[in-house]
Amino acid sequence: MNRIFASTLTRIAMITMSVGLCLSAQAAEPSAAMKPEPGAFKMGTQPWLGYGQWQVAEKKGIFKKNGLDKVEIVNFNEDKDVNAALASGKIDAASLSAHTAMGIAAAKIPVKIVMLLDESVAADALIVDGSIKSLADLKGKQIAFEEGTTSDILLHRALDSAGISWHDIVPVPMSAAAAGTALIAKRVSAAVTYEPYLGSAKQQNSTVHTLFSGADDPGIISDVFVVREDVLKERPGQVLALLKSWDEALKSYNDNTVEGRKIIADAVGAAPEELESGFNGVKFYSLEENKSLLTGTFANETFSHIQKSAQGAGLLNGPLKSSDLIDARFVEIVK
């Protein structure tokens, strides 16, 4: 993808489903004592710090510790590429934004969400100038945002939460990097963007403030780990070991955050200080949190909010049931 902090679903309809898309197999029942199957596991990812615990696990030898022969982390720059790799079976799993995972499922690519990875609490936000005091003040105003991204999702959710129609605003599509600049230059009254552009805009104009962020609807901007259904059936032990590895990496990160951020920043291609505001605005999910959230708040509330916003943004066709996409059996048995 072309930003550190977002993912896009613009061309998901172009994904070809040439291999295994008629698969209907169900995952084998996992058990806590299950050992990883031999062989490599290929995981798709993108340069977003929210996926960084995989990098920590690799760097710290946690995958090997949990019995995985080889975990190949395959980097992609755009969603369309990782989605096509999932569809063709070139990778076994991927870290994706939640709305992207929904789009893949809607496109009949056989995957399941097995874990929540992270959520943007303050790293993505709708910011406004001093003339805007509430969401209601956005009516008739120009709002800059990047189409087909998490910014699009967040803007739709903000408007929906205030009962404001899309037709009540003046959408101004542009890159997220340019959106903050447009607000500072007073070309628009509001902008949806993400770190580090949020912090930069506020530094340049003290009247700029956050009107709506991920914290206002926890999980609306979140990332998940999806695994192909054939892999869940044939290699459940590997999947279980991967989830354990994420959790151990997160514990290591929390115990030594400076080291963890350095590992993640190196993988993203930036200095830790450049990503500080981004790190501070993101919450990583542990497996213990997954046990209650994945089939709780996320499945029962957040899922529908994301789905409605994605449909409003034209990123998702047709309704989905959270129960059809979420497989929580793996997180539930990890101790």
Side-chain angles (χ1 to χ4, degrees):
M1 63 185 180
N2 59 12
R3 77 165 176 101
I4 296 176
F5 303 101
S7 56
T8 145
L9 196 57
T10 308
R11 287 170 284 180
I12 192 169
M14 297 174 63
I15 299 172
T16 58
M17 298 174 288
S18 58
V19 177
L21 298 188
C22 294
L23 182 69
S24 60
Q26 296 298 310
E29 195 64 33
S31 68
M34 187 175 283
K35 302 296 183 182
E37 296 78 15
F41 190 99
K42 294 185 178 181
M43 176 196 307
T45 190
Q46 298 180 62
W48 157 229
L49 63 84
Y51 307 151
Q53 301 310 328
W54 298 127
Q55 305 293 343
V56 174
E58 181 178 52
K59 186 74 172 181
K60 304 280 288 186
I62 296 173
F63 291 138
K64 294 282 187 184
K65 175 188 172 185
N66 282 312
L68 290 158
D69 290 343
K70 180 181 180 182
V71 176
E72 184 177 344
I73 300 177
V74 185
N75 291 297
F76 296 89
N77 289 322
E78 295 186 58
D79 275 4
K80 68 179 183 66
D81 296 325
V82 67
N83 296 349
L86 273 173
S88 65
K90 291 181 179 179
I91 57 175
D92 303 311
S95 300
L96 300 168
S97 64
H99 76 273
T100 301
M102 291 179 186
I104 286 178
K108 306 303 181 183
I109 297 175
V111 299
K112 296 288 187 182
I113 294 173
V114 299
M115 179 171 60
L116 296 171
L117 300 177
D118 69 273
E119 72 164 288
S120 172
V121 179
D124 294 72
L126 167 62
I127 53 176
V128 295
D129 62 26
S131 68
I132 307 295
K133 306 299 182 183
S134 68
L135 289 171
D137 294 337
L138 293 174
K139 289 184 177 181
K141 298 297 193 297
Q142 291 183 311
I143 304 177
F145 71 103
E146 185 172 350
E147 290 182 301
T149 68
T150 50
S151 295
D152 208 340
I153 297 292
L154 190 67
L155 178 55
H156 274 82
R157 181 58 192 149
L159 297 175
D160 187 57
S161 70
I164 300 173
S165 166
W166 190 254
H167 301 293
D168 290 333
I169 66 165
V170 181
V172 184
M174 64 178 66
S175 72
T181 301
L183 178 62
I184 296 301
K186 298 183 178 181
R187 295 197 299 272
V188 296
S189 300
V192 186
T193 187
Y194 40 78
E195 294 291 1
Y197 310 119
L198 288 173
S200 177
K202 291 177 180 179
Q203 289 175 1
Q204 294 181 59
N205 187 334
S206 61
T207 69
V208 170
H209 60 282
T210 295
L211 191 64
F212 191 92
S213 71
D216 292 295
D217 191 350
I220 190 66
I221 305 298
S222 53
D223 293 294
V224 298
F225 188 53
V226 302
V227 182
R228 285 181 53 90
E229 289 183 16
D230 57 336
V231 176
L232 289 173
K233 178 188 178 184
E234 298 165 5
R235 288 177 277 154
Q238 288 187 345
V239 176
L240 190 62
L242 282 165
L243 270 57
K244 290 179 180 178
S245 297
W246 171 276
D247 205 49
E248 289 181 30
L250 180 54
K251 289 175 182 175
S252 173
Y253 174 89
N254 289 334
D255 289 342
N256 191 339
T257 302
V258 173
E259 178 191 45
R261 288 187 174 184
K262 176 65 166 57
I263 292 171
I264 295 171
D266 286 346
V268 169
E273 56 270 21
E274 293 178 304
L275 302 179
E276 183 176 3
S277 57
F279 277 118
N280 292 339
V282 169
K283 172 180 173 51
F284 294 104
Y285 289 117
S286 68
L287 285 183
E288 191 62 34
E289 290 167 317
N290 265 269
K291 289 178 183 181
S292 59
L293 288 175
L294 189 57
T295 56
T297 304
F298 181 80
N300 299 324
E301 297 178 21
T302 307
F303 191 95
S304 63
H305 290 179
I306 297 172
Q307 181 171 227
K308 184 176 182 180
S309 296
Q311 289 173 328
L315 305 178
L316 181 63
N317 295 320
L320 295 170
K321 292 182 179 179
S322 61
S323 58
D324 291 337
L325 185 53
I326 295 172
D327 184 348
R329 292 173 300 160
F330 292 86
V331 301
E332 289 171 350
I333 65 172
V334 177
K335 297 181 179 179

